Structures are given as C-alpha cells and as structure tokens.
Amino acid sequence: QVQLVESGGGLVQPGGSLRLSCAASGTIFSINAMGWYRQAPGKERELVAVIRSGGTTAYADFVNGRFTISRDNAKNTVFLQMNSLKPEDTAVYYCNAKLRRSDRDYSASYWGQGTQVTVSS
C-alpha cells in the first residue's frame, strides 16, 4: 500500500505564511510527480502546483509567485511554501503523487487525506 500524509495546515492571517509537507510511504518503486491541489467549499478541486521527478515545476495562475513547491527525493516528501496568503486561498489542500509501485506497474495517482488551510483575520 501507499500512504500520503500531509501536515502544516492551520489558521493564518492575511499576508501570512504556511508551509505544507507531504510524505509518501509504502511500496514505492518510483515517483513521477508530486503536487498539491486544493478544494474550497462549493468548488471543484484544482491544481495548485506540481513538481516532476526531474525537478521541473508548474503553478496555477492564481499562485502568481506567492507559493513555492519543492521536493526531497530521498524522503519521498514534497513541500509547499505559501507566502502572502489571501482569504481566497482558504481551502482543503490535498497532496497527490503519481508513482509506480514496481517496475511492472503503470503509474497510478494517490491522494492524501487533506489538510485545512484557513486565511482569516
């Protein structure tokens, strides 16, 4: 089995910062990409940022330079540093990993349980 465990969410004032972490564990052969998605109440889940195995990154337009995604390949961990947070960033943030469990498996997508981020004064 594969588990993704997130941490680092919480309540922060507008303009503040948070750092999310997500560690993947279990039977993992290789990780192609790890990323963060978010879902606000009444809205669909949307991509926030992704980092691929080679280190290339991609961000949603709304990030606008405020967030940075990084990865510790040795620990199968991905981070999301969020600065200049706005109330509209309030959502449940989900970690995602696209990985192979063995050299005979195709890549599959796995999700964490989500961590709440609330930006409010």
Side-chain angles (χ1 to χ4, degrees), residues 7-9 17-21 36 68 70 79-82 85:
S7 61
S17 299
L18 282 175
R19 179 178 168 89
L20 305 183
S21 301
W36 292 94
T68 302
S70 61
F79 306 95
L80 185 68
Q81 177 66 44
M82 303 187 294
L85 284 161

Side-chain angles (χ1 to χ4, degrees), residues 45-82:
R45 190 173 298 189
E46 60 182 353
L47 174 69
V48 178
V50 63
I51 183 166
R52 300 179 181 88
S53 58
T56 58
T57 59
Y59 296 90
D61 289 343
F62 61 77
V63 169
N64 200 22
R66 300 180 297 129
F67 300 173
T68 302
I69 190 169
S70 61
R71 180 171 163 180
D72 183 337
N73 289 331
K75 296 182 179 180
N76 291 336
T77 300
V78 66
F79 306 95
L80 185 68
Q81 177 66 44
M82 303 187 294

